[in-house]
Amino acid sequence: MTIILASADTAAGHAARDFAIEEARRRDADLIVFPVDGSTPDISGFGYDRVTLENADGRSKDAVGDLIDATNRSEVEAVVVGVKRRSPAGKIFLGSSAQQIILEAAVPVISVKPAT
């Protein structure tokens, strides 16, 4: 089985990364790191040998949409995404990648907040 990490270079993204690595170990699963913010994470520093990097299609303008499409694969069992606290107005006007993943993914989504 496989877990997808919605990777971002933020505090929430780092918390999600740490959780995803532990969850992959616990489930004995592969971990796909899927950057949603245009960053290029160094997967060699993850300390887990079953990690692969998958990027959005170069022709696509929506990495989050590509990640959501990837959740339709039969081997994917969960997505891990970092979230941060936002005001009600921020939720209405700005939207978020995490919110889109939570609402549209075809598999369960584990949302992780950074420690405060």
Side-chain angles (χ1 to χ4, degrees), residues 25-37:
R25 281 191 179 116
R26 187 182 71 77
R27 295 183 187 214
D28 191 29
D30 296 327
L31 178 62
I32 295 175
V33 178
F34 202 109
V36 294
D37 66 348

Side-chain angles (χ1 to χ4, degrees), residues 7-20:
S7 175
D9 192 16
T10 63
H14 294 208
R17 176 199 60 215
D18 296 343
F19 185 89

Side-chain angles (χ1 to χ4, degrees), residues 1-2 22 31 40-41 55 63 65:
M1 297 311 281
T2 302
E22 290 308 311
L31 178 62
T40 306
N55 291 299

Side-chain angles (χ1 to χ4, degrees), residues 9-92:
D9 192 16
T10 63
H14 294 208
R17 176 199 60 215
D18 296 343
F19 185 89
I21 293 167
E22 290 308 311
E23 189 67 11
R25 281 191 179 116
R26 187 182 71 77
R27 295 183 187 214
D28 191 29
D30 296 327
L31 178 62
I32 295 175
V33 178
F34 202 109
V36 294
D37 66 348
S39 65
T40 306
D42 179 16
I43 62 172
S44 65
F46 277 39
Y48 187 63
D49 60 347
R50 295 171 60 186
V51 178
T52 57
L53 180 64
E54 185 172 323
N55 291 299
D57 185 335
R59 299 168 291 171
S60 175
K61 294 182 181 176
D62 184 16
V64 173
D66 288 349
L67 183 147
I68 291 167
D69 289 345
T71 67
N72 288 311
R73 297 182 203 150
S74 62
E75 74 273 7
V76 175
E77 62 180 319
V79 175
V80 177
V81 62
V83 296
K84 63 181 179 178
R85 183 167 175 10
R86 295 184 0 199
S87 70
K91 291 176 187 175
I92 292 170

